[in-house]
Amino acid sequence: MRRELTAIEEKTADPAIWADPARSQPLMRERKRLETLLADDAELARRSDDIEAYFELAKEGENTEPDLVREIPLLIEFADQLESKTMLSGESDSLNAIVVVHPGAGGTESQDWAEMLMRMYIRWGERQNFKVEINEVQDGDEAGIKSATFTISGDFAFGLLSGETGVHRLVRISPFDSAKRRHTSFASVFVSPEIDDTIVIDIKPDDLRIDTYRSGGKGGQHVNTTDSAVRITHIPTGLVAGCQNERSQHKNKEKAMKLLRSRLYEYELEKKKAVSKKLEDSKLDIKFGSQIRSYVLQPYRMAKDLRTRVEVGDVDKVLDGDLEPFIRGYLRMRREGNFPAEIADDDL
């Protein structure tokens, strides 16, 4: 990471790069990411060394128990946060998150639940020191919302929230029911990455295989006797571009590189389209039989993820944005590949 950071700093030292936001912005995002990771590594080493020092002092007879009681839980919490970051290795995990909330059938009751979910994710974003921007909100007729779209901007926002897509269920005594009966409400959440439309084609010389061969076809005396034709293969993608029209090998190479850049651009464009299509397809699969989490306020109080079996008794804390246990549980499940074949809900 230090080598990568040094390479980025060398690139950003060039004043010309700042005139092109399409080149400078991705570099700045990558520099910030690397600086954060290196700072986390240094902080982990510092906290571990401090605790080790406290144990050494304890061996010499000093009372360091209060320090250990204070520092060890903080280290555990910090290590849990770092573990979550190490599990965010997907191509889109580092991007900002666009969150869409829709109430299910049930009128005012479900619309109120949708607004509670929107507030929960906004509070979570604020807890992470992320920027939250409301894009669109359609208010309900009496209370709550009919739909909401908002963007949460921050490092790995999408990766952290990727497991929130699905149907969320609330069980409570309805504040809109004069008979004070228990109601079950549903709302769907869809999280997608904020995909940047700019595509920077960075071709590394080590990724290229350049072959020269004898040009065919009609022409002057040199065309069929010199290896002027050029074929360039981009090894990571397997894309090939060649040119043999020019008598100069240098000009053929220049034209082949232009062709390769164009093909790589189309390749990256198709990848972005595929990501968007995959996300839209998953959105269509959300049905009100696919609950991922239940929030029960009556007759007992518990928030339970039906995929990971993570349970939290303080449901008010969850609804106030404390989603870390559920996020870590989902990321661990994703890393280990232990996705349940069928979600069974036994809350009631």
Side-chain angles (χ1 to χ4, degrees), residues 40-56:
D40 287 342
D41 181 69
E43 180 67 9
L44 183 64
R46 184 191 68 78
R47 289 174 184 251
S48 301
D49 290 344
D50 285 351
I51 289 174
E52 190 174 349
Y54 285 132
F55 275 113
E56 291 298 324

Side-chain angles (χ1 to χ4, degrees), residues 113-344:
W113 171 225
E115 186 175 33
M116 291 170 65
L117 280 176
M118 180 180 74
R119 178 187 177 277
M120 180 180 77
Y121 290 115
I122 290 174
R123 289 286 295 121
W124 176 83
E126 292 170 349
R127 282 170 173 258
Q128 307 299 314
N129 294 319
F130 289 166
K131 178 184 175 183
V132 180
E133 180 183 0
I134 306 295
N135 304 117
E136 178 269 334
V137 175
Q138 186 178 357
D139 292 329
D141 296 326
E142 298 179 27
I145 57 173
K146 291 182 178 178
S147 70
T149 304
F150 49 98
T151 302
I152 299 180
S153 304
D155 291 337
F156 296 97
F158 172 70
L160 293 168
L161 289 177
S162 58
E164 296 300 304
T165 293
V167 176
H168 298 245
R169 187 185 73 171
L170 173 70
V171 181
R172 66 172 175 175
I173 299 295
S174 172
F176 307 101
D177 187 347
S178 58
K180 300 299 180 184
R181 290 171 295 188
R182 192 173 67 191
H183 283 245
T184 299
S185 307
F186 299 95
S188 68
V189 176
F190 177 65
V191 184
S192 61
E194 187 181 46
I195 298 175
D196 190 353
D197 290 334
T198 60
I199 297 175
V200 179
I201 304 300
D202 183 19
I203 302 177
K204 300 177 182 178
D206 294 344
D207 290 339
L208 300 178
R209 186 177 71 244
I210 301 175
D211 301 311
T212 58
Y213 57 98
R214 190 156 296 175
S215 299
K218 301 174 183 179
Q221 61 180 353
H222 294 291
V223 172
N224 295 317
T225 58
T226 62
D227 293 336
S228 59
V230 175
R231 181 188 295 113
I232 303 176
T233 304
H234 187 249
I235 298 170
T237 61
L239 294 173
V240 179
C243 184
Q244 61 179 30
N245 297 335
E246 302 293 337
R247 292 176 63 176
S248 162
Q249 185 183 111
H250 177 73
K251 288 185 177 179
N252 278 331
K253 182 180 177 181
E254 188 177 332
K255 286 196 172 184
M257 280 299 295
K258 286 182 179 179
L259 283 170
L260 183 62
R261 283 185 177 277
S262 177
R263 288 176 185 173
L264 280 170
Y265 180 85
E266 289 295 327
Y267 175 79
E268 292 296 331
L269 198 61
E270 287 301 317
K271 279 174 61 179
K272 287 182 180 292
K273 288 179 181 177
V275 170
S276 298
K277 186 177 185 304
K278 184 178 179 182
L279 287 166
E280 286 301 316
D281 289 346
S282 71
K283 185 177 180 180
L284 295 174
D285 290 335
I286 296 175
K287 302 182 292 294
F288 286 100
S290 60
Q291 297 95 6
I292 64 166
R293 191 174 304 145
S294 289
Y295 308 76
V296 183
L297 304 182
Q298 184 71 26
Y300 55 91
R301 303 181 69 81
M302 180 181 292
K304 178 180 178 181
D305 195 290
L306 308 178
R307 303 158 300 176
T308 63
R309 301 302 179 189
V310 172
E311 298 180 359
V312 176
D314 192 347
V315 68
D316 294 316
K317 190 176 178 182
V318 173
L319 291 173
D320 196 41
D322 184 15
L323 299 175
E324 297 310 307
F326 299 112
I327 289 173
R328 280 200 295 270
Y330 179 81
L331 290 175
R332 288 193 186 106
M333 183 181 70
R334 187 176 74 172
R335 180 183 63 185
E336 296 164 5
N338 294 331
F339 289 94
E342 182 178 347
I343 294 175

Side-chain angles (χ1 to χ4, degrees), residues 61-76:
E62 293 194 27
N63 181 21
T64 61
E65 185 177 347
D67 300 297
L68 290 170
V69 169
R70 180 185 69 249
E71 293 297 328
I72 289 177
L74 292 175
L75 176 61
I76 291 171

